[in-house]
Amino acid sequence: MLSRLSRLGLPTYAAIAHASLAPIVTHYSTAETDSFRVHEFSEKYFHHRKAQFTEKMTLIDPLHAPTIPIYRVTDSTGKFVDPSQDPNFDKEFAIDVYRKMSVLEQMDKILYDAQRQGRISFYMTNFGEEASHIGSAAALQDDDLIYAQYREAGVLLWRGFSLHDFINQCYGNAKDIGKGKQMPVHYGSLEHHFVAISSPLATQIPQAVGSAYAFKRVENGRIVVVYFGEGAASEGDAHAALNFASTLRCPVIFFCRNNGYAISTPTNEQYGGDGIAGRGPGYGIKTIRVDGNDFFAVYNATKLAREVALQNEPVLIEAMTYRIGHHSTSDDSTAYRSADEVKIWNKKEHPIARFRTYLIDKGWWKEGEEIEWQKNMRKEVLTAFSEAEKVQMLGPHEMFEDVYKTKPLNLIEQQKQLDEHLQHYAEHYPLERFGMMHQKD
Amino acid sequence: MRYMHHISETIDSICLGDRRFLRMPSLRTLKLGVQLVRQFHPSTKQLATFTFSASKADPSFGETTKMNLCQAVNNAMDIALKSDPSACLFGEDVAFGGVFRCSVGLQKKYGKDRVFNTPLCEQGIAGFGIGLAVAGATAIAEVQFADYIFPAFDQIVNEAAKYRYRSGGLFDCGKLTVRATWGAVGHGGLYHSQSPEGYFAHTPGLKIVIPRGPIQAKGLLLSCIRDDDPCLFFEPKMLYRTAVEEVPIGDYQLELSKAEAIRDGKDVTLVGWGTQLHILMEAAEIANEQFGASCEVIDLKTVLPWDVDTVAESVTKTGHLLVSHEAPVTCGFAAEIGTTIQERCFLNLEAPIMRVCGWDTPFPHVYEPFYLPTKWRVVDAIKKLSNF
């Protein structure tokens, strides 16, 4: 494992352990009587990793081991630190990246305000994490299957999910492809290979492993990418998934967005180890930690991870970032963190600003263009928004659809009961907003 | 060598002399299997609590052979794996044949990529199975005991059951079937005896199926595996080896959400599922002999969505309903049946609906004979119903 992981250019947990054990390993026993056990442990227990004895009693102290370093390509000013790591994007691609990141930001601003005005019931912004979404999505094949948590709208946006699709979902109107069943931001698209989001955290992680296993069996050249936050990584399902992916050798990338908070809970109350990346090697999973605000680092790491995954080896990426916005529209984050902290990330360390500096340095974008672009983009989002607002909801019969493939008798009966009730009490229900009452029998 | 012979004999007798089941990977795994089979194999003494009533298969299903319930399950999975190249069977210890020997021989026949062990983690097994199904593969997941399905409760209730609904039909995990051993076994104590169907019956989107014998086990399991909705298939472990009958050898399915009257009667309707059906059959016989009550016995087979019409028709005729299950009485599925039938058959009912179930306690070890809804408790209830 040591050598396989160091191919990623990373010191591994094993290497770190070795470093802290340096005085010990010189004492390991070579007695002939040990050879059976050393062989058994190496082969059967550690899967061909070398076992050894030591006569020195030492506890491995993770607090004194170095942390896994954060891979970056550009610095805070958008300049390449090591030019060999420049993926050399062409102008068209780079501008597309920039536009997608800023459309996401603009859509977030408008929908956040819309929730504040009571026009949609709920919203979650992506502020500060735009580079990790678009950077990873751009490095994938467009039909790689995505399982997301809820703060990855940029992945869908990159794949061409339209502003109308996003906003219709948030309204739950008749044009929502999810048919108004879920809360806002629970997007899903078969066309864009993006599995419908659900609220229970981390449940998607072992599911992604199962889908990856199915892909491996049919050898379709696709992989699965599953996104989750550092808080969700504490769920039992995250453990299940990493372990299953490792033992069943699945072509899956685990992409953890470590943004410092799970609602109000800071990471020091979330875990005691070296972040999420620190866990990967313990599961026998190739791991990298990246600067999540550096588009290039996320892009490069995901590209490499995809190549590894295609060899039926899971990869864990931990993208270090910061949740600039509130957790959701139901949260006021000033109750648990300082405004100054947010301000620094928003002004000095912002992924979009960092990418813009790169574009300007290249001469591909001018400050003057920005104002015009912002204006047009805002108009586009607002148009989609006002259109979505005018669309009615599906009829209440839709509520009984898709529980099962075929509607069972009890649901047919219950739908009839609702109809009869509405015949007499219609005035007490918001039927005027539900246009297609009798679209289905 | 002698020891090996002894073990082979044990397996042999367990599997009714079918030598196909003797292909074992190693002595160690063989021993493990035998130990576990012995641990939860009902002894002759415990068998005295009920007698298996064999069924006759539909003659249109063709040629039959003797199988116990364990072999019928194995046979169904064999057919499912043969007829569907996407199908995978996985769980804890399924590779060497399963601790109840239900998957014996299947890994050798279909390969390590289709029949394989998972790490010991039920939430992972369920989540992984959902993912396989979402990607279009047929997933047959095994949970070793229904008692250990609860770590997967979230994946089953919040995820599997709601997948199609919440995505507006864009995604589903209809090709998932979760199999789990189920019910009392004589000495299973708290965590090798449970009947958790009631918990799951409160979950729209799931199908829950429980067979009463080998013929139903094979036909219903094949239906579950091929159904377009996620299914929980509970296998009464008491019947694995004690229930033997002539099972069609070919590929056949039995309709889900369809109950079956397995004994005709005119005075009282008895409804149950799984092992309890055989208790009801015996009780019906005793009630008839002792005080001339004519009982109609209905095997519900599918707990969700259940066949209201068949039960209601019977109760309309008899005017009396008794529902019996091993699970505790409060909020057990009998409560749902009772309420629904009371709504549907109010004018036909001549007595209160009765429930004969497990007590509202955890499933005890040494007190099992007093915990179970025995045939004598059922007979007593039929007598009270008849005299109401």
Side-chain angles (χ1 to χ4, degrees):
Chain A
M1 184 190 72
L2 187 58
S3 62
R4 277 191 283 152
L5 277 153
S6 26
R7 249 181 274 148
L8 281 170
L10 286 175
T12 61
Y13 188 80
I16 291 160
H18 269 265
S20 64
L21 289 172
I24 303 165
V25 290
T26 57
H27 291 275
Y28 72 83
S29 169
T30 53
E32 209 170 294
T33 50
D34 293 330
S35 65
F36 171 75
R37 280 174 299 153
V38 166
H39 181 263
E40 283 286 289
F41 289 146
S42 299
E43 296 279 304
K44 288 187 180 167
Y45 293 61
F46 303 144
H47 321 303
H48 305 285
R49 300 178 183 94
K50 189 170 165 44
Q52 58 195 14
F53 286 107
T54 176
E55 286 71 46
K56 187 158 180 177
M57 184 170 67
T58 311
L59 294 174
I60 293 175
D61 184 353
L63 289 180
H64 291 106
T67 55
I68 293 174
I70 305 158
Y71 168 68
R72 67 168 172 183
V73 174
T74 59
D75 61 18
S76 294
T77 66
K79 300 245 179 341
F80 288 93
V81 182
D82 173 359
S84 76
Q85 297 295 300
D86 182 353
N88 294 311
F89 297 144
D90 61 32
K91 182 182 171 183
E92 195 187 347
F93 180 86
I95 288 177
D96 193 24
V97 163
Y98 179 69
R99 288 189 162 158
K100 288 273 163 57
M101 286 198 288
S102 46
V103 165
L104 179 60
E105 191 185 32
Q106 192 63 250
M107 179 177 82
D108 278 351
K109 284 179 182 163
I110 290 170
L111 289 182
Y112 181 83
D113 290 345
Q115 194 282 335
R116 283 287 172 254
Q117 295 158 9
R119 295 161 87 173
I120 56 174
S121 62
F122 178 79
Y123 196 68
M124 300 177 106
T125 64
N126 303 279
F127 298 137
E129 301 185 41
E130 294 88 347
S132 62
H133 302 182
I134 311 277
S136 53
L140 299 172
Q141 197 172 285
D142 275 350
D143 66 350
D144 288 338
L145 188 65
I146 303 293
Y147 279 87
Q149 179 168 302
Y150 49 58
R151 209 184 299 285
E152 295 90 358
V155 177
L156 256 180
L157 190 75
W158 178 259
R159 290 190 171 187
F161 199 67
S162 73
L163 284 173
H164 291 90
D165 288 333
F166 281 112
I167 299 169
N168 287 332
Q169 196 283 330
C170 289
Y171 268 108
N173 64 26
K175 289 185 174 173
D176 167 19
I177 57 174
K179 299 180 180 164
K181 304 266 169 81
Q182 290 216 80
M183 281 175 77
V185 312
H186 290 56
Y187 311 116
S189 172
L190 192 59
E191 185 192 342
H192 300 97
H193 310 285
F194 191 99
V195 179
I197 289 165
S198 73
S199 308
L201 289 179
T203 49
Q204 79 279 15
I205 316 178
Q207 293 170 14
V209 177
S211 292
Y213 189 88
F215 285 2
K216 173 170 98 164
R217 283 204 63 234
V218 295
E219 296 176 341
N220 59 9
R222 296 168 66 189
I223 65 153
V224 180
V225 184
V226 55
Y227 294 85
F228 52 97
E230 90 287 348
S234 296
E235 292 281 2
D237 275 331
H239 158 69
L242 291 164
N243 204 23
F244 275 53
S246 176
T247 57
L248 297 168
R249 296 179 53 83
C250 298
V252 59
I253 298 175
F254 298 101
F255 194 104
C256 178
R257 303 173 291 95
N258 189 338
N259 63 18
Y261 290 92
I263 307 186
S264 74
T265 306
T267 57
N268 67 332
E269 292 167 22
Q270 198 62 250
Y271 51 75
D274 177 18
I276 310 306
R279 300 175 196 170
Y283 289 101
I285 291 180
K286 288 183 177 172
T287 299
I288 188 168
R289 172 175 284 153
V290 303
D291 178 352
N293 286 10
D294 179 352
F295 181 90
F296 302 95
V298 175
Y299 177 87
N300 285 355
T302 310
K303 219 169 172 60
L304 172 65
R306 187 174 192 281
E307 282 166 25
V308 175
L310 276 176
Q311 307 305 309
N312 296 326
E313 277 202 66
V315 182
L316 170 62
I317 300 175
E318 182 183 25
M320 306 307 294
T321 181
Y322 184 83
R323 195 195 76 210
I324 291 173
H326 301 300
H327 164 69
S328 73
T329 48
S330 311
D331 170 54
D332 173 9
S333 66
T334 60
Y336 52 82
R337 62 179 184 182
S338 78
D340 284 351
E341 170 185 313
V342 179
K343 204 169 154 188
I344 292 173
W345 284 98
N346 203 12
K347 295 289 166 210
K348 292 191 177 163
E349 298 288 344
H350 201 282
I352 300 180
R354 213 158 138 180
F355 198 83
R356 185 165 54 230
T357 316
Y358 157 81
L359 287 184
I360 290 169
D361 286 355
K362 280 272 187 190
W364 291 343
W365 194 257
K366 292 188 181 59
E367 290 292 356
E369 275 174 86
E370 183 66 17
I371 299 162
E372 188 66 17
W373 158 243
Q374 290 279 351
K375 209 176 96 187
N376 290 344
M377 191 169 53
R378 191 173 163 75
K379 204 170 140 191
E380 201 185 326
V381 179
L382 285 170
T383 307
F385 186 80
S386 56
E387 279 173 27
E389 206 165 28
K390 291 186 194 101
V391 180
Q392 288 187 313
M393 314 298 159
L394 292 169
H397 280 189
E398 179 55 42
M399 179 167 66
F400 299 99
E401 298 295 329
D402 291 324
V403 180
Y404 295 90
K405 177 84 179 286
T406 312
K407 208 182 288 176
L409 294 172
N410 58 326
L411 285 184
I412 293 170
E413 173 62 27
Q414 287 165 29
Q415 182 177 298
K416 215 182 292 167
Q417 288 171 14
L418 177 64
D419 285 350
E420 283 164 17
H421 174 72
L422 289 175
Q423 275 177 10
H424 301 288
Y425 292 85
E427 70 272 26
H428 302 292
Y429 294 87
L431 280 169
E432 67 287 353
R433 287 163 52 202
F434 293 79
M436 292 167 243
M437 167 92 187
H438 296 295
Q439 35 128 30
K440 277 175 189 160
D441 291 321
Chain B
M1 265 322 276
R2 249 168 92 184
Y3 190 48
M4 184 75 168
H5 177 69
H6 170 68
I7 289 164
S8 298
E9 258 186 3
T10 312
I11 289 280
D12 223 356
S13 60
I14 285 166
C15 297
L16 296 171
D18 190 336
R19 296 217 163 253
R20 281 174 308 163
F21 293 117
L22 289 176
R23 292 191 210 108
M24 303 291 164
S26 76
L27 182 61
R28 193 188 70 80
T29 49
L30 181 69
K31 275 157 73 179
L32 175 64
V34 171
Q35 279 161 11
L36 286 157
V37 164
R38 278 182 184 156
Q39 196 180 340
F40 296 104
H41 182 232
S43 69
T44 322
K45 194 175 136 204
Q46 283 133 4
L47 285 185
T49 57
F50 81 103
T51 309
F52 175 69
S53 311
S55 309
K56 287 254 179 302
D58 183 335
S60 71
F61 294 153
E63 200 192 326
T64 63
T65 190
K66 259 194 172 42
M67 287 186 207
N68 61 27
L69 196 140
C70 177
Q71 290 167 314
V73 167
N74 183 289
N75 187 228
M77 297 196 290
D78 190 351
I79 289 170
L81 289 159
K82 194 186 300 166
S83 61
D84 176 359
S86 81
C88 292
L89 166 61
F90 53 92
E92 295 157 14
D93 305 302
V94 303
F96 88 113
V99 300
F100 285 96
R101 319 312 291 144
C102 285
S103 52
V104 162
L106 298 177
Q107 189 185 61
K108 197 163 182 199
K109 200 162 171 185
Y110 297 101
K112 287 181 174 172
D113 67 319
R114 298 188 64 194
V115 179
F116 53 91
N117 289 338
T118 65
L120 205 164
C121 179
E122 284 77 13
Q123 65 194 106
I125 292 169
F128 180 87
I130 292 169
L132 270 177
V134 167
T138 295
I140 310 168
E142 178 177 307
V143 170
Q144 211 162 67
F145 289 85
D147 311 66
Y148 307 131
I149 203 169
F150 300 113
F153 199 79
D154 184 42
Q155 284 286 355
I156 294 169
V157 170
N158 272 333
E159 295 291 314
K162 298 169 174 56
Y163 233 97
R164 186 191 303 279
Y165 189 76
R166 73 183 186 211
S167 66
L170 293 175
F171 296 91
D172 70 81
C173 60
K175 298 182 91 176
L176 169 70
T177 300
V178 179
R179 296 171 43 238
T181 63
W182 171 94
V185 69
H187 56 295
L190 281 76
Y191 307 111
H192 299 87
S193 311
Q194 291 183 57
S195 304
E197 65 273 17
Y199 293 102
F200 294 100
H202 199 54
T203 308
L206 290 181
K207 290 187 177 173
I208 304 168
V209 179
I210 307 171
R212 71 169 186 276
I215 296 169
Q216 294 77 29
K218 180 176 170 182
L220 290 170
L221 179 53
L222 276 167
S223 291
C224 283
I225 292 170
R226 291 161 176 172
D227 191 76
D228 289 322
D229 294 302
C231 295
L232 300 183
F233 188 76
F234 290 121
E235 298 163 9
K237 55 183 156 318
M238 183 63 122
L239 302 177
Y240 270 144
R241 288 168 186 80
T242 53
V244 182
E245 60 195 10
E246 286 289 330
V247 179
I249 56 172
D251 186 345
Y252 69 96
Q253 290 176 228
L254 296 174
E255 199 183 337
L256 302 184
S257 293
K258 194 85 198 132
E260 179 189 355
I262 58 173
R263 178 191 167 108
D264 289 332
K266 56 181 178 44
D267 299 330
V268 181
T269 301
L270 311 181
V271 175
W273 49 92
T275 323
Q276 197 60 14
L277 243 293
H278 306 290
I279 302 285
L280 294 180
M281 289 294 277
E282 283 183 82
E285 194 58 43
I286 295 167
N288 193 38
E289 282 166 14
Q290 289 195 350
F291 45 92
S294 159
C295 295
E296 183 143 302
V297 179
I298 294 177
D299 180 4
L300 199 64
K301 293 195 283 195
T302 302
V303 172
L304 192 76
W306 66 286
D307 182 358
V308 182
D309 289 347
T310 298
V311 179
E313 261 169 49
S314 173
V315 176
T316 302
K317 177 176 71 179
T318 64
H320 298 86
L321 174 63
L322 182 155
V323 188
S324 184
H325 56 59
E326 286 178 11
V329 62
T330 299
C331 284
F333 199 69
E336 178 58 36
I337 297 174
T339 309
T340 306
I341 294 304
Q342 180 264 135
E343 285 168 1
R344 281 276 290 268
C345 306
F346 189 72
L347 295 176
N348 303 93
L349 281 169
E350 291 164 22
I353 293 165
M354 292 201 77
R355 292 179 285 170
V356 181
C357 303
W359 307 116
D360 287 341
T361 69
F363 199 107
H365 188 218
V366 300
Y367 312 107
E368 178 167 330
F370 306 100
Y371 170 86
L372 284 173
T374 59
K375 60 187 170 192
W376 299 114
R377 279 178 58 201
V378 177
V379 168
D380 187 29
I382 297 170
K383 194 182 284 175
K384 284 171 181 156
L385 267 182
S386 307
N387 298 333
F388 186 82

